[in-house]
Amino acid sequence: MHDPAGRIVVVLDLGGVTDKAAFMDRCARDLALPDWFGRNWDALADSMADPALWPDGAGDRGLLVVVQGWRTYAETRPEEWQVAEEIFAEATDRGPGLFVTLGLGESSESPPDQPG
């Protein structure tokens, strides 16, 4: 995936995620968070806001996090998903360099939903 603005792109694929524990595990894996990542909302917010934890070069070029496969989690755990969305928005608003966007909702590992 390429970002026209030149930012480093990371895909957070939430396909198959249906609870907070799986969400945190997927964040740790896809965002390459350190082993000491606390797997809670505050730790996620702090990690996303810390350019030292971003991939190499992202501190200078910026970081685009594309969240895919999120619909099942959002529908299964709407309260948790609301917190996750707030963390994504806050991380984007904290300062220059980080932008989080939601993909169309399907997982990169499965075909998009078919109409009908």
Side-chain angles (χ1 to χ4, degrees):
M1 190 172 290
H2 173 73
D3 176 31
R7 294 172 290 206
I8 302 288
V9 179
V10 173
V11 175
L12 173 57
D13 189 345
L14 299 181
V17 170
T18 58
D19 62 23
K20 181 181 175 185
F23 173 82
M24 292 295 172
D25 286 345
R26 197 65 59 89
C27 287
R29 181 193 79 187
D30 290 355
L31 301 176
L33 298 176
D35 291 339
W36 48 262
F37 169 62
R39 287 179 165 71
N40 61 60
W41 298 122
D42 289 337
L44 179 61
D46 291 344
S47 296
M48 292 190 76
D50 186 352
L53 299 179
W54 298 354
D56 287 343
D60 295 327
R61 294 175 47 196
L63 178 63
L64 172 63
V65 177
V66 179
V67 183
Q68 294 182 338
W70 54 270
R71 285 194 197 276
T72 299
Y73 182 52
E75 292 167 0
T76 304
R77 302 286 180 110
E79 298 85 11
E80 291 176 11
W81 178 245
Q82 183 177 1
V83 175
E85 281 189 304
E86 289 170 4
I87 288 171
F88 295 153
E90 179 182 308
T92 297
D93 290 344
R94 271 191 172 169
L98 175 64
F99 187 76
V100 181
T101 186
L102 300 182
L104 297 176
E106 74 277 358
S107 169
S108 62
E109 298 173 3
S110 64
D113 294 335
Q114 299 297 317

